[in-house]
Amino acid sequence: MVNYPQSDLLESLPKQFFASLTAKVGKKLEQGHDVINLGQGNPDMPTPEHIVKSLQSAAEKPQNHKYSPFQGFPYLKKAAADFYKREFDVDLDPETEIAILFGGKAGLVEIPQCLLNPGDSVLVPDPGYPDYWSGVALAKAKMVKMSLREENNFLPVYSELSADQLNAAKLMFLNYPNNPTGAVANKDFFQETVDLSRSHGICIVHDFAYGGIGFDGIKPESFLQAEGAKEVGIEIYTLSKTFNMAGWRVGFAAGNASVITALNLMQDHLYVSLFGAVQEAAAAALSGPQDCIKELNSIYESRRNTFISGLREIGWNVQAPKGSFFAWLKVPEPFTSEEFADYLLDKAHIAVAPGIGFGDFGEGYVRAGLLTSEDRLKEAVGRIKKLNLF
């Protein structure tokens, strides 16, 4: 067999840090161990029944067996715009300010390729979602990392960036509720971001993947709620988390019309069209009963309370996340984040994600997903207690 070398482009992509975690967990499972996997970000509950039934019905329609419009059916774009008006009081033109995406990740990776030239500068959060790095690498751009620290509520401090860094930046990624920290942002922070964008010509991309998951009675803020936000950037919304539709691969971008045009053009070249039945089901999710969102929030909040209170009871001083379905936990000394993750897996058969996988400022933390039952979370606390670390 001929072993063809990979292109320089593929060789330049960041390594998948979490592939090693998956392999480690798989090895423990093969050995017969009962692993409580808190290292993943994959929703564990099924898609609501009314959305599934919509897909089943739509799959039987012959018109959905053909290619659908490259840029999505107008009814789905309208459903997305109506959703934003109802949930966030944001007005969007369905045809010029909405782009249908093949999952939120696709849009996040495509955006740098749409707007940047080789050598252009991108501001990215540290710690942050590693796939931001992938899009930057594909665009042959360069990253400037914005540190997210607990003392600043895991928000970037723009005054820490130099004038040269701000003037050179063409793009900025933000993500609240935040993966991995569980932090949230308010309208004042987003307004500050809009003002910064206007001063320096930076396109803002807000990853709103966890926009449906907020705790303590506080609904997550949309970046587009800030005055002038859609003039300077976009927000990417996925149905994966809000509606437990991770495997369906559907989302949308909303906001600045020029960025939406660029995204649509990129996707015209990358894809043909999203399966019409999935589009119908996505419209049903956005336009149909929203009780499922409240129920999901309630489940995650109950899991959070059970897990965090349990860890505190055994002496682990941890903070409760304000949004998302992740807990960001400080590791005990003298462990590094990767050493502690390995220790929990080896000694307690609990998988967590090492913070260093999300960036340099992730060191000293591990990320735990609230993506298993309360009973399993209680069991995880019990296993950690037996380690006598606290």
Side-chain angles (χ1 to χ4, degrees):
M1 182 181 72
V2 179
N3 187 16
Y4 295 104
Q6 294 183 347
S7 68
D8 292 342
L9 179 61
L10 284 183
E11 291 294 332
S12 72
L13 292 176
K15 302 302 179 186
Q16 284 289 349
F17 182 88
F18 295 103
S20 63
L21 175 62
T22 301
K24 290 175 184 177
V25 172
K27 186 174 181 180
K28 291 295 182 185
L29 291 171
E30 289 174 2
Q31 293 170 350
H33 296 294
D34 175 26
V35 177
I36 300 176
N37 192 350
L38 308 182
Q40 60 185 1
N42 197 1
D44 63 307
M45 288 174 281
T47 305
E49 185 178 4
H50 71 280
I51 302 173
V52 175
K53 286 185 175 179
S54 175
L55 175 75
Q56 292 170 336
S57 175
E60 295 179 350
K61 298 178 182 179
Q63 62 265 36
N64 283 331
H65 303 169
K66 301 177 181 180
Y67 294 132
S68 55
F70 272 35
Q71 297 179 9
F73 282 111
Y75 67 75
L76 178 52
K77 290 185 275 190
K78 184 178 186 305
D82 290 346
F83 177 81
Y84 257 70
K85 180 62 177 176
R86 184 182 71 243
E87 296 295 322
F88 307 111
D89 197 26
V90 171
D91 293 305
L92 293 162
D93 184 318
E95 287 305 315
T96 63
E97 295 177 333
I98 298 285
I100 304 304
L101 302 174
F102 291 68
K105 173 181 173 176
L108 292 166
V109 173
E110 290 160 0
I111 280 288
Q113 299 172 80
C114 291
L115 301 182
L116 303 179
N117 294 312
D120 283 346
S121 180
V122 187
L123 300 172
V124 298
D126 180 359
Y129 180 47
D131 281 322
Y132 303 147
W133 313 341
S134 302
V136 175
L138 287 167
K140 298 182 180 179
K142 60 182 180 182
M143 293 192 296
V144 173
K145 294 186 176 182
M146 304 181 293
S147 61
L148 309 185
R149 302 189 300 277
E150 187 172 348
E151 60 265 31
N152 298 318
N153 299 312
F154 297 109
L155 297 171
V157 178
Y158 295 139
S159 61
E160 294 179 349
L161 297 168
S162 71
D164 287 344
Q165 288 173 326
L166 289 170
N167 290 331
K170 299 288 184 66
L171 192 65
M172 177 195 293
F173 283 106
L174 292 172
N175 165 223
Y176 294 97
N178 184 258
N179 174 16
T181 69
V184 297
N186 60 27
K187 193 178 293 185
D188 288 342
F189 170 76
F190 286 140
Q191 196 63 60
E192 179 187 2
T193 303
V194 171
D195 295 342
L196 185 84
S197 168
R198 284 176 168 157
S199 298
H200 297 278
I202 305 169
C203 177
I204 308 300
V205 178
H206 183 232
D207 176 5
F208 205 27
Y210 305 93
I213 307 173
F215 303 134
D216 305 316
I218 300 174
K219 183 176 181 177
E221 298 265 3
S222 163
F223 167 69
L224 297 183
Q225 289 176 286
E227 184 179 352
K230 74 174 183 178
E231 297 171 12
V232 301
I234 65 165
E235 191 158 76
I236 291 184
Y237 199 98
T238 173
L239 280 67
S240 296
K241 281 74 178 181
T242 305
F243 298 101
N244 284 334
M245 295 173 67
W248 300 52
R249 309 314 305 145
V250 57
F252 59 91
N256 182 280
S258 67
V259 181
I260 297 300
T261 296
L263 269 172
N264 280 328
L265 178 59
M266 172 67 77
Q267 294 194 136
D268 283 350
H269 289 274
L270 291 177
Y271 311 112
V272 177
S273 53
L274 184 64
F275 182 31
V278 170
Q279 294 193 53
E280 283 199 36
L286 294 167
S287 304
Q290 303 294 295
D291 292 345
C292 57
I293 301 178
K294 294 179 181 178
E295 292 169 2
L296 189 65
N297 253 350
S298 178
I299 291 170
Y300 284 141
E301 185 161 1
S302 182
R303 290 178 179 181
R304 177 200 70 161
N305 294 343
T306 294
F307 188 54
I308 296 298
S309 63
L311 293 178
R312 288 173 176 170
E313 286 172 8
I314 66 172
W316 194 352
N317 183 21
V318 295
Q319 300 300 312
K322 296 181 179 180
S324 82
F325 46 51
F326 296 117
W328 190 233
L329 312 173
K330 275 189 175 179
V331 306
E333 295 181 350
F335 295 98
T336 67
S337 64
E338 193 165 11
E339 287 170 348
F340 188 60
D342 287 343
Y343 184 81
L344 288 182
L345 186 58
D346 290 337
K347 303 299 183 182
H349 304 137
I350 298 169
V352 294
I356 191 64
F358 301 94
D360 293 339
F361 280 86
E363 184 52 74
Y365 294 85
V366 292
R367 190 193 73 178
L370 305 171
L371 300 170
T372 189
S373 70
E374 286 189 47
D375 286 342
R376 292 288 272 174
L377 291 170
K378 289 178 182 177
E379 183 177 348
V381 171
R383 293 185 189 184
I384 294 170
K385 181 179 181 181
K386 292 178 181 178
L387 299 175
N388 293 315
L389 292 168
F390 306 100

